[in-house]
Amino acid sequence: MEPLLDVQDLKVHFYTSEGIVRAVDGVSFVVQRQRTLGVVGESGCGKSVTARAILGLAGERARIVAGSILYHPQPGVSQELTRLPKDGREIRSIRGREISMIFQEPMVSLSPVHTIGNQIMEVLQLHHRLKKQEARREAIAILRRVGIPEAEERVDRYTYELSGGMRQRAMIAMALCCRPRLLIADEPTTALDVTIQAQILELIAELKETLMMSVMLITHDLGVVAEVADDLVVMYLGKAVEQGPVRTVLNNPKHPYTTALLQAIPKIQKRGRSALHAIAGAVPDAFNIPDGCAFHPRCVHAIAGLCERSIPQNTEVGPGHRVACFLHGGAQT
């Protein structure tokens, strides 16, 4: 089956006065129709920049220097998103309507000087040319759909008048009001308590089935990925180091970074006190990405004389399961 979104060898660099930041450095993945792709990795691995680049929202200093983002709205039809002007009519007709995004922090992503209803109505009026009263009725209906009680009253509330969970639901309502084919959810449960987290994830899963859309879920929580994702991409310093069906990757991880992330999860069944496992070191500065395999300074399985000099390429280690590591025969570059 033709995928909905096909990202190949994407490179996004930021040009600053201090130098070039290689935020995304050759990442490749596909989002299949009506499936959920989980994207995981530590902060600074390029997850959010990748998502924003898809919609042309990476920022003024960002440049897509290589790679392609092919969007297939219908079987046999494709659009190369990297070739569209960031503020052109074509990308603006896709952004918010065909591909929508739940941003990481609704308190700073939603306007503090406009009501929730006005912000949703603006999207509906822009993409569907609805009159004001029609857009208001649609806004109230979508707020009800995402589980906001007394939607007729809260449609006129400002962001600061809503709780964290309500703000996140309002952000989801705005993202879904045009029934997009692809929903990009960037850390949709950040800073929410576990009960609200569960409600938000259940809501996204329910709407995915109802609207028959695909979801690209960006998170650092492997527990969330295991619960809701169908496929998984593990990113490190702008590269996809491992990817495949979520159960395959989590049950049989091949890359040392994926293994280390799984080992860092606290074990409920563990008795007594014991130190939590932590990955040695930290994600390197994107100004100075290490030579060779970017993970080798932190890897306990690094091969001396090879990992610090050569970059491993993706190798298929099982059906749909790919890993970029010399431990599994990754070709050198």
Side-chain angles (χ1 to χ4, degrees):
M1 180 183 292
E2 187 178 65
L4 181 65
L5 190 76
D6 187 352
V7 178
Q8 292 297 322
D9 197 30
L10 181 67
K11 296 184 180 182
V12 183
H13 295 176
F14 288 83
Y15 292 84
T16 70
S17 57
E18 291 82 10
I20 299 174
V21 180
R22 293 180 285 165
V24 180
D25 198 28
V27 68
S28 300
F29 60 85
V30 297
V31 181
Q32 301 291 347
R33 296 182 187 275
Q34 297 179 37
R35 288 174 69 87
T36 298
L37 174 72
V39 183
V40 301
E42 295 169 279
S43 297
C45 285
K47 306 184 299 297
S48 295
V49 174
T50 300
R52 288 174 177 267
I54 293 170
L55 291 172
L57 297 174
E60 293 183 0
R61 295 186 177 183
R63 298 288 184 274
I64 296 177
V65 298
S68 65
I69 304 173
L70 280 176
Y71 171 54
H72 303 276
Q74 300 291 342
V77 178
S78 64
Q79 291 176 285
E80 173 52 87
L81 300 187
T82 59
R83 296 178 183 174
L84 302 181
K86 293 181 180 179
D87 295 320
R89 181 176 295 179
E90 287 183 272
I91 190 64
R92 292 179 70 182
S93 68
I94 295 172
R95 186 190 299 149
R97 182 173 184 173
E98 301 279 335
I99 304 175
S100 197
M101 186 167 180
I102 301 172
F103 293 94
Q104 189 165 354
E105 177 48 66
M107 193 62 186
V108 297
S109 299
L110 293 170
S111 170
V113 296
H114 296 90
T115 64
I116 295 300
N118 281 339
Q119 294 177 71
I120 298 173
M121 289 163 59
E122 181 182 18
V123 178
L124 290 165
Q125 289 177 293
L126 175 66
H127 289 294
H128 293 301
R129 307 297 181 187
L130 297 181
K131 293 181 180 179
K132 187 174 181 179
Q133 289 305 314
E134 292 176 316
R136 181 180 174 83
R137 285 195 293 270
E138 286 291 324
I140 292 171
I142 191 66
L143 287 174
R144 284 202 198 101
R145 190 167 195 172
V146 299
I148 292 183
E150 300 175 356
E152 296 87 347
E153 177 189 347
R154 289 193 165 92
V155 73
D156 295 317
R157 296 284 182 88
Y158 292 89
T159 306
Y160 62 84
E161 297 180 284
L162 301 177
S163 66
M166 290 291 183
R167 285 195 294 267
Q168 195 64 283
R169 289 174 187 271
M171 176 71 77
I172 294 172
M174 189 181 302
L176 296 179
C177 63
C178 291
R179 296 174 174 264
R181 288 188 173 90
L182 172 61
L183 174 67
I184 301 174
D186 188 2
E187 300 280 7
T189 58
T190 297
L192 300 177
D193 63 64
V194 291
T195 303
I196 302 301
Q197 282 185 25
Q199 292 175 1
I200 295 298
L201 292 172
E202 287 175 7
L203 173 62
I204 292 174
E206 177 188 337
L207 292 171
K208 172 199 165 189
E209 297 299 324
T210 304
L211 302 178
M212 294 186 294
M213 65 182 180
S214 302
V215 177
M216 179 178 167
L217 175 65
I218 299 169
T219 181
H220 61 271
D221 192 333
L222 286 168
V224 168
V225 166
E227 183 71 23
V228 303
D230 301 300
D231 305 296
L232 177 62
V233 174
V234 181
M235 286 187 66
Y236 187 77
L237 271 183
K239 293 183 182 292
V241 296
E242 187 166 3
Q243 56 188 297
V246 66
R247 297 297 174 194
T248 301
V249 176
L250 296 183
N251 292 332
N252 188 25
K254 297 296 185 182
H255 198 283
Y257 181 57
T258 309
T259 302
L261 288 175
L262 290 168
Q263 289 174 343
I265 299 174
K267 306 298 188 292
I268 296 177
Q269 68 272 21
K270 209 167 188 179
R271 295 184 178 181
R273 293 187 177 184
S274 61
L276 291 174
H277 177 83
I279 305 174
V283 178
D285 188 345
F287 282 109
N288 300 295
I289 296 177
D291 293 331
C293 173
F295 186 61
H296 86 265
R298 308 172 68 190
C299 182
V300 296
H301 301 290
I303 303 171
L306 178 60
C307 292
E308 72 272 21
R309 295 180 182 177
S310 302
I311 301 174
Q313 297 302 294
N314 277 290
T315 302
E316 190 161 359
V317 293
H321 189 184
R322 300 179 65 82
V323 62
C325 181
F326 291 122
L327 295 174
H328 303 282
Q332 300 181 36
T333 61

